[in-house]
Amino acid sequence: MHSPRGRPRGFDIEAAVERAMDVFWSRGYHGTALPDLLRATKLSRGSLYAAFGDKHSLFLRALDRYIADALARMEFEFDPRKDPIDGLKAYLAGYVERTSGGNGRRGCLLVATAMELAGQDAEVGRRVAGYFKAMEGRVANALSRAKAAGQLADGVEPSSAARILICFLWGLRVVAKTAPTRNTSQATVDALLDRFIR
């Protein structure tokens, strides 16, 4: 029997992806150079290319990781065993948290990526659009459950309300770069939600 060629990888691929994600998040795709990624991941050029292919492929892995984390968070917040309005409030509270202080000034990798690449990079565009659709679907589902329970205000249509909420949240992520106070963000969220629920 022949043994496999080459040495086994001596590093944690997921940890490397997470460190690369932090660099792309801070600098943007075009602002990130290969030396930045080598420093962050502590990999040699050869190891990085052997593991990930190239900068673009590593970026897609990092973006997939960010999206997977965000979807897992939403699955928890919108757990169907919970009251849908409580889930929606938890979801929105998470955005207030992520748009406050240093977190807010750092911004959102997905929003930044959509602005930088979605119109010119098909792979990125598909991922961003897919995530937006998944977000909207989960919010619409929670609102539909709330409507069935008689918790929505008269005339509120779940799919339209979900679209409004998603657009609002992405706007909130952009405004957060100007460092509004947590109280300001929470009051804005509360005012919008009050339009939708009884």
Side-chain angles (χ1 to χ4, degrees):
M1 288 180 62
H2 297 289
S3 59
R5 296 181 64 187
R7 292 184 302 143
R9 288 198 182 101
F11 65 91
D12 183 335
I13 285 200
E14 288 309 311
V17 170
E18 185 166 355
R19 289 192 288 266
M21 180 179 75
D22 284 338
V23 178
F24 287 124
W25 196 346
S26 298
R27 295 173 174 263
Y29 178 76
H30 291 304
T32 298
L34 183 60
D36 301 322
L37 295 169
L38 298 179
R39 270 193 303 276
T41 60
K42 299 179 174 61
L43 297 177
S44 69
R45 182 186 297 256
S47 293
L48 187 143
Y49 279 111
F52 302 110
D54 57 17
K55 171 184 163 181
H56 187 258
S57 296
L58 177 53
F59 179 72
L60 293 178
R61 283 283 295 269
L63 193 58
D64 288 342
R65 168 69 183 270
Y66 189 92
I67 289 170
D69 289 348
L71 290 174
R73 192 167 53 239
M74 290 181 71
E75 288 297 324
F76 174 76
E77 291 162 343
F78 288 122
D79 185 331
R81 293 169 295 185
K82 297 179 182 175
D83 177 83
I85 296 300
D86 288 346
L88 194 57
K89 287 180 177 177
Y91 175 65
L92 295 171
Y95 269 88
V96 171
E97 177 64 30
R98 290 187 292 280
T99 57
S100 300
N103 287 336
R105 284 189 293 276
R106 188 180 195 197
C108 171
L109 178 61
L110 270 165
V111 171
T113 297
M115 297 296 288
E116 183 182 10
L117 294 175
Q120 53 191 288
D121 184 316
E123 286 293 324
V124 168
R126 276 194 289 276
R127 283 166 167 79
V128 172
Y131 178 68
F132 286 0
K133 185 175 181 181
M135 278 183 76
E136 191 176 307
R138 284 166 172 78
V139 173
N141 180 266
L143 288 168
S144 293
R145 289 169 51 225
K147 183 170 186 171
Q151 296 171 310
L152 293 191
D154 292 341
V156 173
E157 199 280 308
S159 61
S160 296
R163 202 163 302 119
I164 291 166
L165 276 168
I166 297 307
C167 290
F168 165 79
L169 290 173
W170 290 128
L172 189 65
R173 294 308 301 256
V174 173
V175 171
K177 299 284 279 184
T178 66
T181 67
R182 181 190 300 268
N183 288 344
T184 298
S185 295
Q186 186 64 59
T188 308
V189 165
D190 291 343
L192 181 60
L193 191 56
D194 282 348
R195 303 290 179 123
F196 296 147
I197 63 176
R198 289 186 186 279

